[in-house]
């Protein structure tokens, strides 16, 4: 015996069934069929490993799918970032607008105060320059504004009548 067989009839290192006798032709056919099936699976596995072009195509398809998914994810992230930036810019614009509005109101108040001060000074200066008799008339006008209005209306009527008379009769 040159084969290295163990006491139960199997070869050392082999996964095959015992070589020593099938129990009949049916058993032998079953063993052959099982061996063919295992051999077919092994051949398919080896053929798959040997098919470099097929494996490369499958890998490329996987990478395309991953790239597509990543593209969708990146576009979504970019859109979200864009919305965030737009929102922050809008908020910053509103804040700047509010600050500018407040600064404008403050400047307007200060300018109004300055103008009032200057107007008051001018009024006091004019009051000092007005002669005493006219000052009395101005004070009377302040106390009785209706009388001043009536007098102004009467004076306006006299002037208007004079203008109309000149137009009709010409300069005399």
């Amino acid at each position: 015996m040159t084969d290295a067989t163990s006491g139960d009839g199997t070869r050392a290192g082999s996964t095959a069934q015992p070589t020593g006798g099938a129990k009949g032709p049916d058993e032998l056919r079953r063993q052959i069929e099982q061996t063919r099936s295992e051999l077919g699976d092994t051949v398919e596995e080896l053929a798959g490993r040997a098919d470099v072009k097929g494996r490369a195509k499958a890998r490329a398809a996987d990478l395309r799918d991953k790239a597509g998914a990543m593209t969708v994810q990146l576009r979504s992230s970019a859109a979200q970032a864009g919305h965030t930036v737009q929102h922050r810019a809008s908020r910053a614009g509103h804040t700047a607008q509010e600050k500018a509005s407040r600064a404008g109101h403050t400047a307007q108040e200060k300018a109004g105060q300055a103008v009032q001060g200057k107007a008051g000074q001018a009024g006091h200066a004019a009051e000092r320059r007005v002669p005493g008799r006219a000052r009395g008339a101005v004070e009377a006008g302040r106390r009785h504004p209706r009388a001043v209005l009536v007098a102004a209306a009467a004076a306006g009527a006299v002037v208007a009548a004079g203008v109309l008379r000149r137009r009709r009769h010409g300069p005399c």
Side-chain angles (χ1 to χ4, degrees), residues 151-162:
V158 169
V159 169

Side-chain angles (χ1 to χ4, degrees), residues 148-161:
V148 172
L149 286 174
V150 170
V158 169
V159 169

